[in-house]
Amino acid sequence: MLKLKNILCGAALLTGTWGIAQQTPAPRQTASVLITGAVAHIGNGSTINNSAIGFKDGKITYAGPLSGVTTGAYDRVIDASGKHVYPGFIAANSTLGLVEVDAVRASNDQSDTGDLIPHVRSIVAYNSESKVVESCRPNGILMAQVAPRGGLISGTSSVVQLDAWNWEDAAIKTDDGIHLHWPSAFRSKGWGFSGPSEFVPNKDYEKEIGEIRTFISGAKTYLSGPKSPENLPYQAVSGLFDGSQKLYVNVDGEKEIADVVRFAKTNGIRHMVVVGGNEAWKVADLLVENDVPVILSRPHRLPSGEDDNVKQPYLLAKMLSDKGVLVGLEMSGAMERMNTRNLPFYAGTFAAYGLDKEKAVQLITGNNARILGIDAFAGTLETGKDATLFISEGDALDMRTNSIPHAYIQGREISLESHQTQLWKRYMGKYEAGQ
């Protein structure tokens, strides 16, 4: 009876969650649009005051000073004087659309069984009608890398735009990379009220790395031979060696980062990205030398070491950028799907602690686009790129002024309604009516 009750409660929760689907995706752009008078944040570190951003058939046709364009050449002109226009923000290493309700196992598709499963593709589990995805768009998050979790090699990620009928429509770059969780050289020894009571060397560190080495060695041997019998995990990592895919390595420690950089170089893995990188600043020169970018964890947390500056997480982006490391921002961690809507405010925190404001914008626009390999068509406001952008009433990295009246994905003006905005309007109406 108890089991039946749990099943019925779960079904009711799912019905309540998915009973009202996401807004119908916007239709293809038919009328050309010109946004005038705004401060344009290009996404490459520069701005244009009194700008004009024009787009037609989903592509940007003009991005420059207002004085350089004929407004009459566009079907619709939006006066954005006093406002700001940004490229769509990009959430890297997210699990958007893979989990809807944490407490409902049937809605959780972020991980699969096994430790070495690079052939598991997160994109086929992506739920384009997720209400969590819908909650991100009003803050300017219009694209995301959907990444798997769990195991040593978790699977393959893809990059999506956040206004689609299904995963096929959503995908803008499929199977962009393989996600690896590098073992830690240290382990916690017991837990106290405030966290791990002590860290001790991980005696199994070399053994755990050995599993990864053995897998990669086996894959290289398989890929150079007759490929029989068929081996899906080995086939899935072929892009690491020909450069068509990147290896995203979840790793934080100084020693571990140095070890994995050498591992990738030794094994002919052409493109590697550090994900997390709490101690990446200690090996910044090594990262620059090997052209390894870092997607930093969100900064609202305590430092990883007890002797670190308590503000260390806030300073990381500036420290690495000053050293010449290409830096982006990722979203893994506690309540990561719900917190993804706060992506621009995490970038704003880096700006508050020394990073130039436009470089902070770059973290979640141009830089994330470069790291994810979509910079040829996304990430900056430049002619020929996708018209995935938005207008903000104020500073989009400041939660007090991030108020978005218009947002576009590939030129299509999307709905900015969400479950939260609907509830706000409903109850504001109630109180305004004096009920």
Side-chain angles (χ1 to χ4, degrees):
M1 179 63 71
L2 182 59
K3 184 176 181 181
L4 177 60
K5 181 180 179 181
N6 289 340
I7 292 172
L8 292 175
C9 287
L13 182 56
L14 288 173
T15 302
T17 302
W18 290 322
I20 303 174
Q22 188 184 48
Q23 286 85 18
T24 300
R28 182 178 61 85
Q29 181 187 10
T30 54
S32 58
V33 177
L34 183 68
I35 301 168
T36 64
V39 177
H41 301 261
I42 304 303
N44 60 5
S46 65
T47 60
I48 301 174
N49 293 318
N50 196 26
S51 70
I53 307 296
F55 49 98
K56 180 180 181 181
D57 297 328
K59 296 290 184 180
I60 296 175
T61 54
Y62 181 82
L66 177 57
S67 58
V69 68
T70 303
T71 58
Y74 289 83
D75 299 318
R76 180 187 180 195
V77 178
I78 299 174
D79 182 4
S81 300
K83 299 181 175 65
H84 301 256
V85 60
Y86 294 83
F89 293 153
I90 306 164
N93 191 39
S94 79
T95 50
L96 279 177
L98 298 184
V99 183
E100 193 66 6
V101 182
D102 288 0
V104 179
R105 188 174 180 181
S107 76
N108 187 332
D109 279 324
Q110 69 174 340
S111 61
D112 212 326
T113 303
D115 283 333
L116 301 166
I117 49 174
H119 56 298
V120 170
R121 304 174 67 220
S122 61
I123 186 64
V124 297
Y126 176 71
N127 173 23
S128 61
E129 292 192 345
S130 167
K131 285 193 172 298
V132 185
V133 168
E134 184 180 90
S135 72
C136 296
R137 303 188 307 190
N139 281 352
I141 300 131
L142 306 181
M143 291 168 282
Q145 181 193 44
V146 179
R149 299 283 186 261
L152 281 175
I153 300 180
S154 307
T156 304
S157 61
S158 292
V159 187
V160 299
Q161 51 87 3
L162 304 185
D163 184 62
W165 288 99
N166 48 48
W167 71 261
E168 292 94 339
D169 291 341
I172 56 177
K173 185 177 178 65
T174 57
D175 305 326
D176 70 293
I178 306 293
H179 289 253
L180 167 65
H181 294 263
W182 193 257
S184 175
F186 295 89
R187 282 182 173 170
S188 61
K189 182 181 179 182
W191 285 75
F193 178 76
S194 60
S197 58
E198 183 182 3
F199 282 98
V200 297
N202 175 11
K203 60 182 178 62
D204 295 323
Y205 180 62
E206 289 299 328
K207 178 183 175 182
E208 292 167 355
I209 293 175
E211 292 183 49
I212 302 170
R213 286 198 185 103
T214 299
F215 177 83
I216 292 297
S217 176
K220 291 168 70 176
T221 300
Y222 170 85
L223 293 167
S224 63
K227 302 178 182 59
S228 179
E230 186 177 40
N231 188 305
L232 294 179
Y234 287 165
Q235 288 179 8
V237 299
S238 62
L240 298 180
F241 308 111
D242 64 21
S244 60
Q245 288 182 310
K246 295 185 179 182
L247 181 64
Y248 295 92
V249 186
N250 294 265
V251 59
D252 285 316
E254 175 187 5
K255 171 179 169 52
E256 294 91 329
I257 294 172
D259 285 347
V260 74
V261 169
R262 286 190 289 267
F263 167 83
K265 189 173 183 178
T266 300
N267 285 279
I269 295 171
R270 296 176 60 181
H271 302 297
M272 185 199 121
V273 178
V274 167
V275 178
N278 289 340
E279 295 187 350
W281 60 278
K282 297 180 179 180
V283 288
D285 292 338
L286 177 68
L287 297 174
V288 172
E289 179 185 340
N290 289 277
D291 195 23
V292 176
V294 178
I295 311 179
L296 288 174
S297 299
R298 58 201 198 210
H300 293 187
R301 55 186 170 81
L302 291 172
S304 56
E306 61 181 25
D307 295 326
D308 289 343
N309 182 344
V310 71
K311 297 178 181 178
Q312 184 68 34
Y314 306 145
L315 301 169
L316 270 175
K318 175 173 172 53
M319 294 172 71
L320 289 171
S321 295
D322 287 351
K323 284 283 192 176
V325 178
L326 176 62
V327 182
L329 179 57
E330 60 110 2
M331 284 310 307
S332 64
M335 297 184 66
E336 62 182 84
R337 289 160 295 282
M338 300 76 167
N339 272 315
T340 300
R341 67 179 182 268
N342 294 320
L343 175 71
F345 312 138
Y346 296 133
T349 297
F350 284 129
Y353 282 84
L355 186 66
D356 177 79
K357 177 59 73 69
E358 292 311 311
K359 287 188 176 180
V361 171
Q362 233 178 313
L363 295 179
I364 53 177
T365 55
N367 286 7
N368 267 358
R370 282 179 62 191
I371 293 169
L372 302 184
I374 59 172
D375 52 309
F377 58 87
T380 54
L381 299 176
E382 295 181 86
T383 301
K385 293 194 174 184
D386 285 356
T388 299
L389 51 92
F390 64 90
I391 300 170
S392 177
E393 300 285 350
D395 181 355
L397 304 192
D398 183 349
M399 65 177 64
R400 296 168 300 180
T401 57
N402 177 310
S403 178
I404 298 176
H406 302 282
Y408 301 85
I409 292 179
Q410 297 169 336
R412 301 175 291 113
E413 184 162 15
I414 65 171
S415 169
L416 293 171
E417 287 291 334
S418 68
H419 185 59
Q420 287 82 5
T421 59
Q422 290 168 356
L423 287 174
W424 176 75
K425 290 177 181 178
R426 175 184 177 187
Y427 286 100
M428 280 302 294
K430 175 181 184 296
Y431 292 120
E432 287 171 354
Q435 298 179 4

